[in-house]
Every structure is written in structure tokens, then in C-alpha cells.
Amino acid sequence: MGKKQFDYDAADSFMYSAIKEAYKGIRNRHGGPFGAVIVKDGEIIGKGHNRVLRNNDPTCHGEISAIRDACKKLKTFDLSGCVMYTTGEPCQMCLFACLWANIEKVYYGCTIEDNGLIGFRDDKFDKLSGGREQFKDYLECVDRQACLKLFEDYKNKEHTIY
């Protein structure tokens, strides 16, 4: 995990920021390779990474951390007008947290299936709640290859499965 993991152009900068946030969490052994940023009016107003291990909190996913950060900075619980970029397709908990926060759209890198390839069980909970079809206009996959590189780096590094 050197200084530069990817080649990006300006259009990819928000996902790049989410990836950088995920690497920060991995480097510090906070949790899995999940970083997220929240964008409003073309600017990042919140960011977070998975802190499940650091906080001993199974709800402290990257998306939840980013929502908390954005709400604190904006001094509101309503993130209308915002979009999220996250390195992994959100689990059901995070997906519904995005909806509760009024985030307008979520761009993700790796899929639920990719999450499973590195030891996460999101697909189990996804099946319990009926899958993702009803969210197809809300969720959009972008920069998957860059996020797969992040996941591969995580998989090859010593880490705790949870």
C-alpha cells in the first residue's frame, strides 16, 4: 500500500477519496476495506471508514461513519441534496441508513458478491430482506476495478474476520 495505488482522472476523484479513506482504516486495523464520502454541491462534506474493530461496534461501517461526519459538519440530520461514494455496495443496514438520511444516490465500487469474496456475509442479510431489485435506480456501480484492487490488497494483508 504505497503512496499511489491508482491512476485517476478528475471524474474519479470522489471514489478515489473513498478508497483513500478505506486504506486509512486498513492501515490502522480499524476494520474492513470500506471507505465512503458524502458529496454535496461538488464538495466532500463527510467521510468515514469501517471502524467495527476499533470501536467494538458492529454498526460502525464506512457509510455510517460518513453519514455521522456529514451530519455533524452540516449540523443537521437531513442530507438531502447529497450523494455517497463508497468502496463496497452497502449492506442492508447502511443502505437504509442512506435512505433515512435522505441521501439522493449511492455510487459503489465492489458488489455484494465481491464483499463475500473477502469474507463478508452481506449477501446473507440481503437475501433475508428481499434483495436489491427495488433499489436499482438508487444504487450505481462505478470504478469497480479500482475498488477490486483495494479489496485484493485487504485480502492479502493480515486482518481479522468478523
Side-chain angles (χ1 to χ4, degrees):
M1 289 187 253
K3 287 183 182 176
K4 185 174 182 186
Q5 291 92 8
F6 308 101
D7 291 319
Y8 273 87
D9 60 26
D12 300 317
S13 65
F14 295 131
M15 185 60 81
Y16 176 69
S17 295
I19 291 169
K20 279 180 24 181
E21 189 68 23
Y23 274 113
K24 184 166 120 182
I26 293 169
R27 199 172 36 257
N28 291 302
R29 296 182 181 261
H30 290 171
F34 304 104
V37 297
I38 297 175
V39 177
K40 185 170 187 171
D41 299 326
E43 291 190 39
I44 295 174
I45 52 103
K47 55 186 171 180
H49 61 267
N50 186 293
R51 290 180 171 90
V52 168
L53 298 176
R54 177 180 177 249
N55 294 359
N56 290 313
D57 179 354
T59 68
C60 203
H61 293 191
E63 297 90 343
I64 302 291
S65 294
I67 289 169
R68 290 173 180 159
D69 187 49
C71 289
K72 184 177 179 180
K73 285 180 182 164
L74 295 178
K75 296 179 177 25
T76 184
F77 56 85
D78 183 359
L79 297 179
S80 294
C82 296
V83 297
M84 178 183 283
Y85 289 80
T86 182
T87 57
E89 189 172 0
C91 69
Q92 288 294 325
M93 176 184 69
C94 292
L95 177 57
F96 282 96
C98 290
L99 292 166
W100 273 107
N102 296 315
I103 292 171
E104 293 181 1
K105 186 156 182 102
V106 175
Y107 299 95
Y108 64 89
C110 289
T111 65
I112 288 289
E113 292 79 16
D114 297 328
N115 296 351
L117 295 174
I118 58 169
F120 292 90
R121 54 196 169 123
D122 301 26
D123 60 333
K124 174 184 174 183
F125 299 107
D126 209 44
K127 289 175 188 162
L128 285 172
S129 64
R132 311 218 143 221
E133 273 308 303
Q134 64 270 32
F135 301 107
K136 62 183 174 192
D137 293 332
Y138 187 67
L139 298 168
E140 184 175 333
C141 186
V142 298
D143 292 329
R144 183 167 177 253
Q145 290 306 312
C147 291
L148 283 170
K149 166 80 169 86
L150 163 71
F151 275 31
E152 187 66 26
D153 288 348
Y154 172 77
K155 191 167 122 180
N156 292 331
K157 186 173 177 55
E158 184 180 327
H159 61 275
T160 302
I161 301 292
Y162 55 94

